[in-house]
Amino acid sequence: MNPKKPQSSKRYLPIVIIIAVFAVAIIAFLIMMRSFSDDARKARLDQPLTSSAARPDSRPRTPQPGAQPPHERGDASAAATIEEFGDFQCPPCGSFHPELKKIEADYGSRLRVVFRHLPLPQIHKNAVAAAQAAEAAGRQGRFWQMHDMLYENQSAWEKATDASSMFTSYARSLNLDMQRFAGDLNSTDVNNRIRADMMRAESLGVTGTPTLFLNGREMTLPSSNAIQYLRGQIDAALAEKKQ
Amino acid sequence: MKNRETAPERVESKGSLTAFVIAAALSLVGLADALYLTVQHVAGRSVRCTVITGCDEVLASPYAVLPGGVPLAALGALAYFAVFSLATLAAFGYGWARAPLAVLVALMLATTLGLLYLQAFILEKFCEFCLLSAAVTLSLAVVLIAKRRLRGRAAVVDAA
C-alpha cells in the first residue's frame, strides 16, 4: 500500500470501513440501551428479598399499589404529589435529597411527597439493608427521620462492610426501641413492604433511581438544571389543578 | 543503489501502516468504552464498577457532564470515532489525515491528563471505565510518537 497516493481500487474502501464502524456503533448503542434496561429490571427482581413473588415470569402487567399505607409527608390534599422511587445507596438519590427537601419547604402544604423503595442490590450492596432499616424505623413512626439520616450520611456507610451496625447507631440516635428495631429489620412485614414498592416500580416500568412521578406522570429530568425543571413542572401541575 | 533508496521508504510505509492500524484498533476499544458510559448515562443513573469502586461517584460528578447536559462520555465516543476515521484514512494513504489525527490525539491526551487529575485529587475516586479510556488515549499517543520517531529514523537512513 502506498501511504501517500491511494490506489484507485482502494480509494473508497476506508470510507466504507468508516461507515460500517459508524453503523455498528449505532447498533451497539441501541442494543446496550435495551440490555441495560433489562439488567436493571433483573437486578430488582432477583435480589435476595424476593422469593417467588417477584420473578420475571410473574411480572405484574397492571400498576401495582405498592406498600400500603405509603410513606408520605406533606398535606394529603396537596395539589401536587411527587412519588419518588429511591435507593438509599444511589449517589444521585443522595444528591437529590437536599434539593427535594428545599422544594418541600418552599411549596409547603401544596406538595405531598411519597417515597418508594427501589434498592438495586447488584449495584449497591448495602441498599437492601438501608431500606430495611428505614422500614424498621417506620414501624416505630420514624421512617422519615431514618430516611433523612440514611441519605445525609450516605458517604459514611455506602462502602461499609458492616453497614448494619451503622444503621443500628442511627436507630439509637433516633431513640428507637432497639430490641424491636433489631427484630423488625429482616421481618416479613418489612420485607413485604419493600417488595411491594419494588413490584410497583416494576409495574410502572421504572428502570433506575431516582425516578419521580408527578401526579402520576413519570418525569424525565434533564441532566442540567434538573431542579429548576422540576420546580417548573410542579408549578405547572399546581396551575393545572387550579383551573 | 536502487535498493538503498527504496528500502527506507518501505520501512517507513510499513511502520506507518502498522501504527495507523494499531491506532484504529485502539480507538475502537475507546469507542466501545465511551459508548458504554454514554448508554449508562442516558439510560440509567448508576454505573457498576467490577474491579475497583468509585464509578458512581466519578460518573455522577458535575465533571462528567458538559454544559447543556451532554455527557462527557458522548464527546469521548465522538473523539474516538474521529480517531478511528482519521487513522483508517491515513492507513489507506490519505496523507492529509495525519496532521488532524496528531492534533486530535494531542487534545485527547491533554483532556485525559486533566480528567486523571480530577479523579485523583478532586474527587479522590477512580472509575475503571475512565481509566481504560485513559489507557487507550495514552497508548494512542505512544503509538503515534513511536511512528514519528520511526519515520524520522527512516528519513535519516534515506539521506545517508
Side-chain angles (χ1 to χ4, degrees):
Chain A
M1 188 184 301
N2 185 332
K4 300 210 185 283
K5 295 174 186 172
Q7 293 169 14
S8 58
S9 60
K10 292 183 178 175
R11 195 171 171 184
Y12 297 108
L13 188 54
I15 309 296
V16 171
I17 292 171
I18 290 166
I19 292 171
V21 166
F22 182 76
V24 168
I26 296 294
I27 292 168
F29 180 85
L30 296 174
I31 289 173
M32 281 194 289
M33 283 286 285
R34 176 174 286 187
S35 170
F36 177 83
S37 299
D38 289 347
D39 285 350
R41 187 172 288 126
K42 283 177 186 168
R44 292 196 308 280
L45 293 170
D46 292 347
Q47 54 93 21
L49 269 174
T50 58
S51 52
S52 59
R55 293 290 175 193
D57 57 356
S58 64
R59 197 174 298 160
R61 292 176 186 175
T62 53
Q64 298 295 294
Q68 295 298 326
H71 295 297
E72 58 184 16
R73 58 182 172 191
D75 195 326
S77 61
T81 296
I82 288 178
E83 184 176 15
E84 177 197 355
F85 287 86
D87 171 334
F88 290 114
Q89 199 181 333
C90 143
C93 299
S95 305
F96 178 66
H97 168 68
E99 301 295 341
L100 184 58
K101 284 203 85 170
K102 273 186 221 160
I103 290 174
E104 286 181 66
D106 290 347
Y107 284 88
S109 63
R110 293 176 296 163
L111 180 67
R112 182 171 72 116
V113 172
V114 174
F115 182 85
R116 298 284 185 193
H117 296 286
L118 185 51
L120 303 172
Q122 289 190 353
I123 304 170
H124 302 134
K125 63 177 181 176
N126 293 326
V128 169
Q132 289 171 325
E135 276 302 322
R139 291 179 69 79
Q140 296 184 48
R142 296 279 196 279
F143 172 83
W144 287 106
Q145 288 88 339
M146 182 62 88
H147 165 280
D148 292 350
M149 285 192 88
L150 289 168
Y151 272 145
E152 284 155 18
N153 297 288
Q154 188 188 65
S155 59
W157 59 264
E158 61 179 340
K159 305 295 181 200
T161 49
D162 186 19
S164 295
S165 65
M166 300 181 76
F167 301 152
T168 302
S169 71
Y170 297 160
R172 195 170 290 115
S173 71
L174 292 174
N175 296 320
L176 298 184
D177 176 339
M178 295 310 294
Q179 199 172 351
R180 188 177 164 198
F181 178 79
D184 285 339
L185 267 179
N186 202 20
S187 66
T188 305
D189 285 349
V190 159
N191 289 339
N192 279 346
R193 280 189 63 89
I194 298 170
R195 185 184 295 118
D197 281 354
M198 292 168 69
M199 293 295 281
R200 175 164 173 76
E202 170 59 26
S203 70
L204 294 171
V206 176
T207 58
T209 56
T211 294
L212 305 181
F213 285 77
L214 176 60
N215 287 349
R217 277 201 304 253
E218 184 173 356
M219 282 188 292
T220 305
L221 296 179
S223 299
S224 61
N225 298 323
I227 303 306
Q228 202 175 343
Y229 175 84
L230 176 57
R231 284 177 182 270
Q233 292 295 302
I234 295 170
D235 290 339
L238 292 173
E240 197 176 303
K241 285 273 179 177
K242 271 186 184 173
Q243 287 172 359
Chain B
M1 188 67 184
K2 191 181 176 184
N3 281 345
R4 281 186 68 186
E5 285 174 354
T6 54
E9 177 62 25
R10 279 202 297 274
V11 168
E12 182 189 357
S13 73
K14 195 176 175 185
S16 293
L17 178 64
T18 306
F20 291 133
V21 169
I22 291 172
L26 281 170
S27 64
L28 286 181
V29 175
L31 176 61
D33 184 52
L35 268 182
Y36 173 75
L37 289 179
T38 306
V39 168
Q40 296 285 18
H41 186 97
V42 174
R45 290 139 203 160
S46 279
V47 174
R48 188 188 340 173
C49 268
T50 52
V51 182
I52 56 172
T53 59
C55 287
D56 264 348
E57 290 83 353
V58 173
L59 297 171
S61 75
Y63 307 107
V65 183
L66 295 168
V70 179
L72 189 60
L75 184 67
L78 201 66
Y80 281 119
F81 179 71
V83 167
F84 173 80
S85 302
L86 291 169
T88 302
L89 288 167
F92 276 85
Y94 287 81
W96 60 264
R98 295 178 178 200
L101 176 62
V103 171
L104 180 58
V105 171
L107 285 173
M108 289 168 70
L109 183 62
T111 307
T112 292
L113 293 175
L115 294 175
L116 283 175
Y117 172 82
L118 285 175
Q119 288 179 77
F121 299 107
I122 307 295
L123 300 173
E124 296 180 341
K125 301 274 183 187
F126 287 96
C127 157
E128 64 200 35
F129 299 100
C130 312
L131 294 179
L132 173 63
S133 180
V136 168
T137 301
L138 289 171
S139 303
L140 278 171
V142 167
V143 166
L144 292 186
I145 290 168
K147 180 196 79 69
R148 221 178 151 77
R149 287 177 68 91
L150 187 67
R151 193 180 171 194
R153 199 172 61 189
V156 170
V157 173
D158 193 27

